[in-house]
Amino acid sequence: MATKRTTKTKTSAPVTLPKVLTGIAGLDEITGGGLPKGRPTLICGEAGAGKTLFAMEFIVHGAMQFNEPGVFVAFEEKAEELTANVRSFGYDLNKLVAAKKLRVDHVHIERSEIEETGEYDLDGLFIRLGYAIDSIKAKRVVLDTIENLFSGLSNQAIIRAELRRLFEWLKDRGVTVIITGEKGQGTLTRQGLEEYVSDCVIMLDHRVANQISTRRLRIVKYRGSDHGTNEYPFLIDNEGISVLPVTSLTLANRVSSQRVSTGIPSLDEMLGGKGFFKGSSILVSGTAGTGKTSMASYFAYESCRRGEKCIYFAFEESPEQIMRNMKSINVNLEPCVKDGMLIFHASRPSLHGLEMHLLVIYKMIKKYKPKTIILDPITNLVSVGTVSELKSMLVRLIDFLQREQITVLFTALTLNTNVNEQTDEGVSSLVDAWLTVRDIEFNGERNRGLYIMKSRGMKHSNQVREFVISDHGLELVEVFLGPDGVLTGSAREAHQLLEATDDALKTFALGRKDREIARKSLMLEAQIGNLRSEFDSVKEELNKLYMEEELKKEVRKNNLEKITTLRRGGKTNSGSSTTKK
Amino acid sequence: MSKKPEDIKERLKLCLFVTGASPNSMRAIANLKTICDAHLGKEYDLEIVDIHQQPMLAAEQQVIALPMLLKMAPLPIKRLIGDMSDTDKVLKGLGLSK
């Protein structure tokens, strides 16, 4: 069904039926170019559904933007009342009237003044209308609401015949007409106006479910043209009507490989060192008080620092509250807000229905053109719809954001029971990256452990990191894998201290051993010295003996020679030879 | 029924809006003439306006259905629409019936 409607809105380009733009945001997309030109269109709905405003916008936009003057025939309100009513939307009817772009004709039928005395026709209305159209060369006509004729006049047969003639006549004049009609019991309009208007019927609806009202619009019929058949939520705010066209679901969005930092260096580190992909969707889930908003604020702050606009949709806290709280962790968002880089939009989820929230987000994005948006938290939105409704809304939102290349960060609250991880289940498959912060309860304290559940298309850490929030900000600390398992918080710190002590002791012990060895070696060194000197003295002794022997030998030889010389009486030479024998 | 001066403190001021020579208009003029002649004598002013000739008047005088007889005076203002064939209703509308 979803894909069908997109193809319908998309393939309406080759238009055979001439159409006129309404200028109502979003409607021209659904109808593929506006209302059928030169034909009547019926707008029906309950009281307060926005019929008159719809019709007025058609006329005013025609006069202001498309240079098509218009005649507004009011059967209910006086011209002054109408002027006052639409002034709040910024339309100055008097100016348009003066510029001959608009003509308001108040048709007043006072039942008590009228007496029917026989056959009549509605020529008076024809003449008035004809005169009004001619006087400003009108291309657009609104009859709001022609059903009042039925209450003013009693001869239904005449009215019906005349209405048929009126619409034929208007078609002949080639003006595009909007007829409004009150919704009847079981019929589109109370008086069965749809019988006369067979070209285009649009129904406006104002439904209240769970005390929350949502306005919806549906094209019941559009002869000769493709159109979206679904109910489209629409919004009436200070800029008038805007319809939210369901964005394409063809999954043909362009993607970016550009990366954006999370604002937390250690988290970037976990995501391949660079952070998320630009234009991706990120879900941060966790139990209460796990720092989801802090993480979102970091991301917003980082976006602003890069010079990229960011819109923060807060569904739980007021902007002041967030700013104050974030100051405590060293994130000062106030300058960003002052610069206009960060725009806060805080609303209670119960302010209006889901579709309306989507519409508001859509409008804000169109207005401010941010690069990053934050929804904090999406879980609160479940209170105004069911999980499946929320999912369908988020699908469309993500789709739209992807098309606009806007990075989005959702936060989601998960309950501790684990049974109720609804939003995770509903949304996690849609998002590109999913971080979850879990409580790790151990050793009488709660600590936060951050996991990257998934991160499409990039290398990411499989490690649990302890998520520490301090005065300086957010930080991811490696958890300690001790013999008792994962240690966090004070247990981690205690363990780290223990390790440090161990280290100190070890180094001390090592030092002692070293010194002992040094001493021993010194001792041995000394011993070696002793031995060496002993050895030297022994060697010297030996040398001495040897020298003495030599000396003795020499002396003895000399003595012998002397003696021999003496004996031979001067023949000392022969004497020496004999001694040798 | 004859005229009753005590009922008519003011002269009847009437204005009949018609569209050209349409059958309804012709009938209305004729019927009105008859009624007035029979019941009012000369105690009234009647203006017949062809709205085709003066379309601005249609918006001014809140003309929707035609033919329409507008009784401007005496008050209350009454608008009698139709071809004036229902004499009783015309008289009632003009405040002439009992």
Tab-separated table of all heavy atoms in Angstrom, chain A residues 313-359:
chain	number	residue	atom	x	y	z
A	313	PHE	N	14.441	18.566	18.891
A	313	PHE	CA	13.039	18.382	19.247
A	313	PHE	C	12.990	17.690	20.605
A	313	PHE	O	13.368	16.533	20.722
A	313	PHE	CB	12.314	17.529	18.213
A	313	PHE	CG	12.220	18.187	16.867
A	313	PHE	CD1	13.164	17.939	15.891
A	313	PHE	CD2	11.193	19.077	16.597
A	313	PHE	CE1	13.083	18.558	14.658
A	313	PHE	CE2	11.104	19.693	15.364
A	313	PHE	CZ	12.053	19.436	14.395
A	314	ALA	N	12.592	18.445	21.586
A	314	ALA	CA	12.575	17.883	22.934
A	314	ALA	C	11.135	17.562	23.315
A	314	ALA	O	10.259	18.408	23.215
A	314	ALA	CB	13.168	18.891	23.910
A	315	PHE	N	10.911	16.352	23.698
A	315	PHE	CA	9.559	15.943	24.071
A	315	PHE	C	9.419	15.738	25.576
A	315	PHE	O	8.399	15.277	26.048
A	315	PHE	CB	9.162	14.660	23.345
A	315	PHE	CG	9.125	14.811	21.856
A	315	PHE	CD1	9.999	14.122	21.051
A	315	PHE	CD2	8.215	15.673	21.264
A	315	PHE	CE1	9.968	14.276	19.676
A	315	PHE	CE2	8.175	15.836	19.896
A	315	PHE	CZ	9.053	15.132	19.102
A	316	GLU	N	10.480	16.035	26.291
A	316	GLU	CA	10.442	15.740	27.707
A	316	GLU	C	10.829	16.933	28.550
A	316	GLU	O	10.234	17.194	29.572
A	316	GLU	CB	11.393	14.575	28.000
A	316	GLU	CG	10.794	13.514	28.867
A	316	GLU	CD	11.662	12.282	28.863
A	316	GLU	OE1	12.898	12.416	28.769
A	316	GLU	OE2	11.117	11.186	28.946
A	317	GLU	N	11.845	17.626	28.084
A	317	GLU	CA	12.373	18.723	28.883
A	317	GLU	C	12.234	20.031	28.113
A	317	GLU	O	12.195	20.028	26.884
A	317	GLU	CB	13.852	18.487	29.185
A	317	GLU	CG	14.115	17.327	30.095
A	317	GLU	CD	15.594	17.025	30.199
A	317	GLU	OE1	16.129	16.378	29.298
A	317	GLU	OE2	16.204	17.449	31.176
A	318	SER	N	12.236	21.115	28.846
A	318	SER	CA	12.186	22.411	28.191
A	318	SER	C	13.609	22.792	27.778
A	318	SER	O	14.578	22.299	28.339
A	318	SER	CB	11.620	23.454	29.141
A	318	SER	OG	12.572	23.756	30.130
A	319	PRO	N	13.741	23.669	26.782
A	319	PRO	CA	15.077	24.071	26.343
A	319	PRO	C	15.950	24.571	27.485
A	319	PRO	O	17.124	24.218	27.582
A	319	PRO	CB	14.797	25.178	25.337
A	319	PRO	CG	13.430	24.910	24.841
A	319	PRO	CD	12.694	24.262	25.965
A	320	GLU	N	15.348	25.384	28.361
A	320	GLU	CA	16.137	25.935	29.475
A	320	GLU	C	16.677	24.814	30.353
A	320	GLU	O	17.816	24.846	30.792
A	320	GLU	CB	15.279	26.876	30.332
A	320	GLU	CG	15.164	28.280	29.809
A	320	GLU	CD	14.203	28.373	28.641
A	320	GLU	OE1	13.279	27.530	28.579
A	320	GLU	OE2	14.378	29.247	27.782
A	321	GLN	N	15.807	23.852	30.559
A	321	GLN	CA	16.187	22.725	31.407
A	321	GLN	C	17.376	21.977	30.795
A	321	GLN	O	18.345	21.676	31.477
A	321	GLN	CB	14.986	21.789	31.484
A	321	GLN	CG	14.724	21.217	32.831
A	321	GLN	CD	13.456	20.383	32.809
A	321	GLN	OE1	12.578	20.583	31.979
A	321	GLN	NE2	13.370	19.442	33.708
A	322	ILE	N	17.274	21.730	29.515
A	322	ILE	CA	18.352	20.999	28.845
A	322	ILE	C	19.635	21.799	28.909
A	322	ILE	O	20.697	21.279	29.243
A	322	ILE	CB	17.965	20.693	27.384
A	322	ILE	CG1	16.783	19.721	27.358
A	322	ILE	CG2	19.149	20.111	26.617
A	322	ILE	CD1	16.229	19.471	25.993
A	323	MET	N	19.520	23.105	28.629
A	323	MET	CA	20.725	23.925	28.609
A	323	MET	C	21.387	23.977	29.979
A	323	MET	O	22.597	23.901	30.094
A	323	MET	CB	20.392	25.329	28.109
A	323	MET	CG	20.212	25.366	26.597
A	323	MET	SD	20.188	27.004	25.931
A	323	MET	CE	18.504	27.449	26.180
A	324	ARG	N	20.526	24.098	31.001
A	324	ARG	CA	21.083	24.138	32.360
A	324	ARG	C	21.769	22.823	32.690
A	324	ARG	O	22.897	22.798	33.178
A	324	ARG	CB	19.967	24.397	33.364
A	324	ARG	CG	20.456	24.478	34.794
A	324	ARG	CD	19.344	24.227	35.772
A	324	ARG	NE	18.839	22.864	35.658
A	324	ARG	CZ	17.684	22.462	36.182
A	324	ARG	NH1	16.917	23.307	36.817
A	324	ARG	NH2	17.280	21.216	36.050
A	325	ASN	N	21.082	21.744	32.374
A	325	ASN	CA	21.630	20.439	32.718
A	325	ASN	C	22.927	20.149	31.984
A	325	ASN	O	23.844	19.543	32.524
A	325	ASN	CB	20.603	19.345	32.414
A	325	ASN	CG	19.361	19.483	33.280
A	325	ASN	OD1	19.363	20.253	34.236
A	325	ASN	ND2	18.327	18.751	32.941
A	326	MET	N	22.968	20.588	30.735
A	326	MET	CA	24.153	20.283	29.951
A	326	MET	C	25.354	21.104	30.380
A	326	MET	O	26.484	20.715	30.172
A	326	MET	CB	23.870	20.495	28.466
A	326	MET	CG	22.972	19.447	27.880
A	326	MET	SD	23.533	17.791	28.282
A	326	MET	CE	22.145	17.153	29.200
A	327	LYS	N	25.054	22.275	30.965
A	327	LYS	CA	26.153	23.090	31.464
A	327	LYS	C	26.951	22.327	32.515
A	327	LYS	O	28.152	22.483	32.634
A	327	LYS	CB	25.603	24.372	32.073
A	327	LYS	CG	25.959	25.590	31.252
A	327	LYS	CD	25.494	26.837	31.930
A	327	LYS	CE	25.356	27.962	30.935
A	327	LYS	NZ	24.574	29.046	31.469
A	328	SER	N	26.254	21.492	33.265
A	328	SER	CA	26.914	20.757	34.342
A	328	SER	C	27.887	19.720	33.804
A	328	SER	O	28.729	19.220	34.532
A	328	SER	CB	25.858	20.078	35.219
A	328	SER	OG	25.277	19.010	34.527
A	329	ILE	N	27.759	19.382	32.558
A	329	ILE	CA	28.756	18.453	32.002
A	329	ILE	C	29.605	19.145	30.941
A	329	ILE	O	30.087	18.537	29.986
A	329	ILE	CB	28.108	17.167	31.439
A	329	ILE	CG1	27.108	17.491	30.332
A	329	ILE	CG2	27.476	16.351	32.538
A	329	ILE	CD1	26.821	16.319	29.430
A	330	ASN	N	29.725	20.462	31.127
A	330	ASN	CA	30.675	21.215	30.313
A	330	ASN	C	30.238	21.349	28.853
A	330	ASN	O	31.084	21.398	27.954
A	330	ASN	CB	32.062	20.565	30.404
A	330	ASN	CG	33.147	21.561	30.109
A	330	ASN	OD1	32.916	22.766	30.203
A	330	ASN	ND2	34.319	21.073	29.737
A	331	VAL	N	28.945	21.369	28.619
A	331	VAL	CA	28.468	21.633	27.261
A	331	VAL	C	27.594	22.873	27.343
A	331	VAL	O	26.517	22.845	27.917
A	331	VAL	CB	27.639	20.452	26.699
A	331	VAL	CG1	27.080	20.809	25.334
A	331	VAL	CG2	28.498	19.222	26.606
A	332	ASN	N	28.067	23.958	26.789
A	332	ASN	CA	27.317	25.198	26.861
A	332	ASN	C	26.593	25.429	25.536
A	332	ASN	O	27.186	25.804	24.533
A	332	ASN	CB	28.248	26.361	27.173
A	332	ASN	CG	27.468	27.583	27.580
A	332	ASN	OD1	26.229	27.556	27.579
A	332	ASN	ND2	28.154	28.652	27.907
A	333	LEU	N	25.293	25.177	25.571
A	333	LEU	CA	24.518	25.260	24.332
A	333	LEU	C	23.998	26.668	24.070
A	333	LEU	O	23.548	26.967	22.978
A	333	LEU	CB	23.341	24.287	24.392
A	333	LEU	CG	23.703	22.808	24.467
A	333	LEU	CD1	22.467	21.973	24.727
A	333	LEU	CD2	24.366	22.338	23.188
A	334	GLU	N	24.062	27.513	25.089
A	334	GLU	CA	23.445	28.828	24.947
A	334	GLU	C	23.986	29.651	23.781
A	334	GLU	O	23.209	30.218	23.019
A	334	GLU	CB	23.592	29.610	26.254
A	334	GLU	CG	22.296	29.606	27.049
A	334	GLU	CD	22.492	30.135	28.445
A	334	GLU	OE1	22.915	31.294	28.571
A	334	GLU	OE2	22.240	29.393	29.402
A	335	PRO	N	25.310	29.713	23.616
A	335	PRO	CA	25.819	30.488	22.468
A	335	PRO	C	25.298	29.963	21.134
A	335	PRO	O	25.021	30.745	20.229
A	335	PRO	CB	27.335	30.304	22.573
A	335	PRO	CG	27.604	29.854	23.944
A	335	PRO	CD	26.381	29.157	24.419
A	336	CYS	N	25.158	28.635	21.052
A	336	CYS	CA	24.664	28.038	19.805
A	336	CYS	C	23.246	28.511	19.526
A	336	CYS	O	22.884	28.808	18.387
A	336	CYS	CB	24.672	26.521	19.891
A	336	CYS	SG	26.272	25.839	20.314
A	337	VAL	N	22.461	28.564	20.599
A	337	VAL	CA	21.072	29.000	20.435
A	337	VAL	C	21.040	30.460	20.020
A	337	VAL	O	20.270	30.869	19.154
A	337	VAL	CB	20.283	28.776	21.739
A	337	VAL	CG1	18.900	29.373	21.638
A	337	VAL	CG2	20.201	27.297	22.044
A	338	LYS	N	21.928	31.255	20.646
A	338	LYS	CA	21.972	32.689	20.333
A	338	LYS	C	22.392	32.918	18.889
A	338	LYS	O	21.890	33.806	18.216
A	338	LYS	CB	22.936	33.387	21.297
A	338	LYS	CG	22.203	33.859	22.526
A	338	LYS	CD	23.048	34.782	23.378
A	338	LYS	CE	22.432	34.903	24.761
A	338	LYS	NZ	23.433	34.750	25.813
A	339	ASP	N	23.316	32.103	18.422
A	339	ASP	CA	23.792	32.242	17.048
A	339	ASP	C	22.758	31.773	16.030
A	339	ASP	O	22.933	31.962	14.836
A	339	ASP	CB	25.063	31.393	16.834
A	339	ASP	CG	26.233	31.955	17.599
A	339	ASP	OD1	26.082	33.073	18.108
A	339	ASP	OD2	27.275	31.290	17.675
A	340	GLY	N	21.755	31.099	16.557
A	340	GLY	CA	20.757	30.553	15.639
A	340	GLY	C	21.182	29.251	15.011
A	340	GLY	O	20.559	28.773	14.066
A	341	MET	N	22.261	28.677	15.507
A	341	MET	CA	22.706	27.407	14.954
A	341	MET	C	21.895	26.255	15.537
A	341	MET	O	21.688	25.242	14.898
A	341	MET	CB	24.192	27.165	15.263
A	341	MET	CG	25.128	28.144	14.625
A	341	MET	SD	24.905	28.221	12.854
A	341	MET	CE	25.563	26.661	12.352
A	342	LEU	N	21.512	26.447	16.765
A	342	LEU	CA	20.733	25.405	17.439
A	342	LEU	C	19.327	25.934	17.693
A	342	LEU	O	19.166	27.002	18.261
A	342	LEU	CB	21.414	25.012	18.750
A	342	LEU	CG	20.728	23.920	19.563
A	342	LEU	CD1	20.730	22.613	18.802
A	342	LEU	CD2	21.419	23.739	20.895
A	343	ILE	N	18.362	25.192	17.203
A	343	ILE	CA	16.981	25.602	17.401
A	343	ILE	C	16.294	24.533	18.255
A	343	ILE	O	16.321	23.348	17.923
A	343	ILE	CB	16.258	25.755	16.051
A	343	ILE	CG1	16.922	26.855	15.233
A	343	ILE	CG2	14.789	26.097	16.254
A	343	ILE	CD1	17.506	26.385	13.960
A	344	PHE	N	15.731	25.002	19.331
A	344	PHE	CA	15.006	24.067	20.187
A	344	PHE	C	13.539	24.089	19.811
A	344	PHE	O	12.968	25.139	19.517
A	344	PHE	CB	15.145	24.469	21.651
A	344	PHE	CG	16.349	23.875	22.311
A	344	PHE	CD1	17.481	24.625	22.547
A	344	PHE	CD2	16.336	22.542	22.693
A	344	PHE	CE1	18.589	24.070	23.160
A	344	PHE	CE2	17.440	21.974	23.319
A	344	PHE	CZ	18.570	22.742	23.539
A	345	HIS	N	12.952	22.934	19.803
A	345	HIS	CA	11.498	22.890	19.652
A	345	HIS	C	10.983	21.917	20.700
A	345	HIS	O	11.116	20.711	20.552
A	345	HIS	CB	11.115	22.438	18.240
A	345	HIS	CG	9.635	22.425	18.039
A	345	HIS	ND1	8.943	23.517	17.595
A	345	HIS	CD2	8.710	21.463	18.264
A	345	HIS	CE1	7.657	23.221	17.539
A	345	HIS	NE2	7.482	21.983	17.942
A	346	ALA	N	10.456	22.479	21.742
A	346	ALA	CA	9.992	21.613	22.822
A	346	ALA	C	8.486	21.563	22.822
A	346	ALA	O	7.814	22.577	22.710
A	346	ALA	CB	10.493	22.159	24.157
A	347	SER	N	7.959	20.373	22.859
A	347	SER	CA	6.515	20.225	22.970
A	347	SER	C	6.217	18.920	23.676
A	347	SER	O	6.971	17.960	23.575
A	347	SER	CB	5.860	20.223	21.596
A	347	SER	OG	6.361	19.164	20.818
A	348	ARG	N	5.113	18.930	24.371
A	348	ARG	CA	4.672	17.690	24.993
A	348	ARG	C	4.140	16.778	23.896
A	348	ARG	O	3.480	17.254	22.978
A	348	ARG	CB	3.557	17.982	26.001
A	348	ARG	CG	4.068	18.522	27.297
A	348	ARG	CD	4.532	17.407	28.231
A	348	ARG	NE	5.326	17.966	29.316
A	348	ARG	CZ	6.277	17.286	29.946
A	348	ARG	NH1	6.545	16.051	29.606
A	348	ARG	NH2	6.947	17.833	30.922
A	349	PRO	N	4.399	15.497	23.987
A	349	PRO	CA	3.884	14.600	22.948
A	349	PRO	C	2.377	14.674	22.816
A	349	PRO	O	1.830	14.551	21.730
A	349	PRO	CB	4.310	13.220	23.435
A	349	PRO	CG	5.444	13.460	24.337
A	349	PRO	CD	5.213	14.796	24.968
A	350	SER	N	1.713	14.920	23.931
A	350	SER	CA	0.253	14.921	23.894
A	350	SER	C	-0.318	16.201	23.308
A	350	SER	O	-1.520	16.371	23.234
A	350	SER	CB	-0.296	14.712	25.296
A	350	SER	OG	0.304	15.621	26.179
A	351	LEU	N	0.564	17.105	22.877
A	351	LEU	CA	0.078	18.350	22.290
A	351	LEU	C	-0.774	18.073	21.069
A	351	LEU	O	-1.804	18.670	20.848
A	351	LEU	CB	1.275	19.227	21.904
A	351	LEU	CG	0.936	20.593	21.308
A	351	LEU	CD1	0.262	21.460	22.330
A	351	LEU	CD2	2.183	21.260	20.776
A	352	HIS	N	-0.301	17.147	20.245
A	352	HIS	CA	-1.127	16.713	19.127
A	352	HIS	C	-0.695	15.319	18.697
A	352	HIS	O	0.232	14.747	19.238
A	352	HIS	CB	-1.084	17.696	17.966
A	352	HIS	CG	0.209	18.390	17.773
A	352	HIS	ND1	0.314	19.715	17.509
A	352	HIS	CD2	1.468	17.927	17.812
A	352	HIS	CE1	1.578	20.048	17.397
A	352	HIS	NE2	2.301	18.986	17.573
A	353	GLY	N	-1.398	14.807	17.720
A	353	GLY	CA	-1.171	13.427	17.307
A	353	GLY	C	0.193	13.230	16.658
A	353	GLY	O	0.909	14.177	16.367
A	354	LEU	N	0.501	11.972	16.446
A	354	LEU	CA	1.789	11.608	15.865
A	354	LEU	C	2.015	12.274	14.523
A	354	LEU	O	3.087	12.815	14.263
A	354	LEU	CB	1.819	10.088	15.643
A	354	LEU	CG	2.378	9.244	16.751
A	354	LEU	CD1	2.423	7.805	16.293
A	354	LEU	CD2	3.768	9.720	17.115
A	355	GLU	N	0.995	12.196	13.691
A	355	GLU	CA	1.133	12.733	12.347
A	355	GLU	C	1.403	14.228	12.403
A	355	GLU	O	2.148	14.772	11.605
A	355	GLU	CB	-0.134	12.468	11.540
A	355	GLU	CG	-0.434	10.998	11.332
A	355	GLU	CD	0.637	10.290	10.521
A	355	GLU	OE1	1.409	10.983	9.836
A	355	GLU	OE2	0.704	9.064	10.582
A	356	MET	N	0.790	14.824	13.388
A	356	MET	CA	0.964	16.254	13.542
A	356	MET	C	2.390	16.567	13.971
A	356	MET	O	2.998	17.516	13.504
A	356	MET	CB	-0.035	16.735	14.595
A	356	MET	CG	-0.613	18.065	14.317
A	356	MET	SD	-1.189	18.199	12.663
A	356	MET	CE	-2.721	17.359	12.804
A	357	HIS	N	2.921	15.714	14.824
A	357	HIS	CA	4.314	15.891	15.226
A	357	HIS	C	5.215	15.779	14.009
A	357	HIS	O	6.141	16.571	13.825
A	357	HIS	CB	4.708	14.823	16.245
A	357	HIS	CG	4.289	15.156	17.637
A	357	HIS	ND1	4.837	16.197	18.333
A	357	HIS	CD2	3.374	14.608	18.450
A	357	HIS	CE1	4.273	16.267	19.528
A	357	HIS	NE2	3.371	15.309	19.614
A	358	LEU	N	4.912	14.793	13.187
A	358	LEU	CA	5.709	14.590	11.983
A	358	LEU	C	5.641	15.831	11.108
A	358	LEU	O	6.644	16.303	10.568
A	358	LEU	CB	5.179	13.367	11.229
A	358	LEU	CG	5.906	12.988	9.959
A	358	LEU	CD1	7.363	12.707	10.235
A	358	LEU	CD2	5.268	11.767	9.330
A	359	LEU	N	4.447	16.358	11.033
A	359	LEU	CA	4.231	17.534	10.202
A	359	LEU	C	5.006	18.732	10.740
A	359	LEU	O	5.591	19.501	9.981
A	359	LEU	CB	2.732	17.827	10.183
A	359	LEU	CG	2.215	18.602	9.015
A	359	LEU	CD1	2.597	17.923	7.727
A	359	LEU	CD2	0.713	18.701	9.099
